[in-house]
Amino acid sequence: AQRVTQPEKLLSVFKGAPVELKCNYSYSGSPELFWYVQYSRQRLQLLLRHISRESIKGFTADLNKGETSFHLKKPFAQEEDSAMYYCALSGSGNTGKLIFGQGTTLQVKP
Amino acid sequence: DVKVTQSSRYLVKRTGEKVFLECVQDMDHENMFWYRQDPGLGLRLIYFSYDVKMKEKGDIPEGYSVSREKKERFSLILESASTNQTSMYLCATSSGAGVKGVIQYFGAGTRLSVL
């Protein structure tokens, strides 16, 4: 079964501290992984996708097929990073559906 | 920029009422989706549509139906609203074509309260 698991409901760090939001997936084929973010009072939007291999707003995420993980990392958290983060998976050969994790709220304290 | 517009930001309805949630997109996208967003449960897919008049059930279709008569509009219908359908409802679209075809673009959401 296809599944995305984000084990932490809430992650609270101080400004300047490193951040790692965990995401594990279950999928037998070649998945495509995404991170979406929802800032307060804003709509859900794409943050990054693994095939782009980019750093967006200082965030990076590496697909680890051996550990079936796609953790989101940032070396120095900023207060404006406080938001809800969702990891999502798109399986090959589907109709464009995404499977979302439960979401992790990141709280960056001053 | 893709624009996905949900007709209502907040909605309050009574148990048993028939409720219509509307979503309109302006980018000629093939795919449209309806999700529920609940704390601790993430986004759960209710229904999606990959073409006009085509629809498929998602993970939690019970108590809901959808309509897509025109490409740009995708409606979610609660046939007889119940209190357990109180939630945030998100509409999303994707082009379905090319390398970026799977990227979904979201509306601002409709917060529905059923009393």
Side-chain angles (χ1 to χ4, degrees), chain A residues 9 32 34 36 38 43-44 46 49 51 86 90 95-98 100-102, chain B residues 4 31 33 35 37 40-43 45 48 99-100 102-104 106-108:
Chain A
K9 281 190 177 180
E32 184 171 0
F34 304 81
Y36 278 79
Q38 188 170 31
R43 62 187 65 197
L44 194 61
L46 178 69
R49 60 193 295 198
I51 64 170
Y86 291 97
S90 173
T95 54
K97 288 191 294 182
L98 292 178
F100 286 86
Q102 303 91 325
Chain B
V4 183
N31 302 329
F33 307 83
Y35 293 93
Q37 183 183 32
L41 297 177
L43 271 70
L45 182 64
F48 71 100
V99 177
K100 295 187 177 183
V102 72
I103 296 173
Q104 291 189 13
F106 285 83

Side-chain angles (χ1 to χ4, degrees), chain A residues 11 13-16 19 77-79 81-82 106-110:
Chain A
L11 183 64
V13 301
F14 285 102
K15 178 182 171 182
V19 170
Q78 303 298 315
E79 289 181 69
D81 296 328
S82 295
L106 174 64
Q107 184 183 73
V108 182
K109 296 179 284 189

Side-chain angles (χ1 to χ4, degrees), chain A:
Chain A
Q2 301 176 26
R3 182 178 293 174
V4 176
T5 303
Q6 294 178 247
E8 303 141 328
K9 281 190 177 180
L10 172 67
L11 183 64
S12 187
V13 301
F14 285 102
K15 178 182 171 182
V19 170
E20 182 177 67
L21 295 154
K22 296 189 188 309
C23 172
N24 289 92
Y25 68 89
S26 173
Y27 185 70
S28 57
S30 295
E32 184 171 0
L33 277 298
F34 304 81
W35 277 99
Y36 278 79
V37 61
Q38 188 170 31
Y39 301 103
S40 179
R41 302 183 191 279
Q42 294 187 29
R43 62 187 65 197
L44 194 61
Q45 58 187 294
L46 178 69
L47 179 62
L48 57 79
R49 60 193 295 198
H50 88 272
I51 64 170
S52 299
R53 294 187 163 274
E54 333 177 79
S55 172
I56 306 291
K57 298 187 180 185
F59 285 98
T60 59
D62 292 317
L63 178 61
N64 185 323
K65 291 187 177 180
E67 296 183 359
T68 60
S69 69
F70 187 57
H71 303 327
L72 184 67
K73 299 177 183 178
K74 185 170 183 176
F76 308 103
Q78 303 298 315
E79 289 181 69
E80 54 266 29
D81 296 328
S82 295
M84 173 71 87
Y85 291 80
Y86 291 97
C87 182
L89 176 153
S90 173
S92 59
N94 68 15
T95 54
K97 288 191 294 182
L98 292 178
I99 299 163
F100 286 86
Q102 303 91 325
T104 299
T105 299
L106 174 64
Q107 184 183 73
V108 182
K109 296 179 284 189

Side-chain angles (χ1 to χ4, degrees), chain B:
Chain B
D1 278 351
V2 176
K3 192 167 184 184
V4 183
T5 304
Q6 294 184 231
S7 55
S8 303
R9 193 78 175 92
Y10 301 95
L11 215 50
V12 180
K13 297 292 181 181
R14 296 210 174 272
T15 302
E17 280 193 72
K18 191 168 186 176
V19 182
F20 293 86
L21 303 183
E22 305 286 342
C23 177
V24 177
Q25 52 110 349
D26 68 351
M27 284 299 292
D28 202 35
H29 280 181
E30 300 294 328
N31 302 329
M32 297 188 76
F33 307 83
W34 275 107
Y35 293 93
R36 272 187 68 152
Q37 183 183 32
D38 298 291
L41 297 177
L43 271 70
R44 292 180 293 167
L45 182 64
I46 304 171
Y47 267 98
F48 71 100
S49 169
Y50 50 90
D51 200 354
V52 175
K53 296 188 189 273
M54 304 301 286
K55 61 186 179 185
E56 281 196 26
K57 294 180 180 179
D59 300 316
I60 53 164
E62 296 78 19
Y64 304 94
S65 63
V66 290
S67 172
R68 193 166 180 202
E69 296 296 318
K70 293 185 178 181
K71 191 174 186 178
E72 67 270 19
R73 186 180 298 269
F74 191 36
S75 303
L76 179 69
I77 304 155
L78 286 66
E79 297 291 341
S80 178
S82 64
T83 54
N84 63 12
Q85 292 177 311
T86 291
S87 187
M88 173 69 89
Y89 290 87
L90 298 183
C91 174
T93 75
S94 67
S95 70
V99 177
K100 295 187 177 183
V102 72
I103 296 173
Q104 291 189 13
Y105 299 87
F106 285 83
T110 296
R111 186 165 292 283
L112 173 66
S113 295
V114 182
L115 306 178

